């Protein structure tokens, strides 16, 4: 049976709730990122891919 006091999470708020859960507190940022990556591996991979594309696109403009 579901806990009636637990907040309702849908597809739109699930990621937001996960961010709040893993990135709140006083732990070092690397520990927070590791716990988020363990909880949501596909989302973490997507974020890394987007960051890599951003870096590659910024370096592409600096070639001579």
């Amino acid at each position: 049976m579901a806990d009636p006091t637990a907040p309702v999470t849908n597809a739109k708020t699930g990621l937001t709730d996960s961010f709040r859960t893993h990135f709140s507190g006083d732990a070092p940022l690397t520990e927070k990122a590791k716990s988020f990556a363990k909880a949501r591996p596909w989302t973490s991979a997507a974020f890394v891919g987007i960051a890599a594309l951003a870096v590659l696109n910024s370096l592409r403009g600096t070639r001579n």
Side-chain angles (χ1 to χ4, degrees):
M1 185 150 231
D3 182 14
T5 60
V8 177
T9 301
N10 60 28
K12 292 182 180 180
T13 61
L15 184 60
T16 305
D17 292 343
S18 186
F19 275 132
R20 284 190 189 122
T21 300
H22 294 288
F23 287 98
S24 63
D26 293 334
L29 186 59
T30 55
E31 293 300 320
K32 292 177 184 180
K34 284 180 189 177
S35 69
F36 181 77
K38 286 181 182 178
R40 291 186 161 269
W42 289 102
T43 306
S44 302
F47 285 152
V48 169
I50 291 168
L53 285 174
V55 168
L56 288 175
N57 281 334
S58 66
L59 293 176
R60 190 178 83 178
T62 60
R63 290 187 191 167
N64 290 330

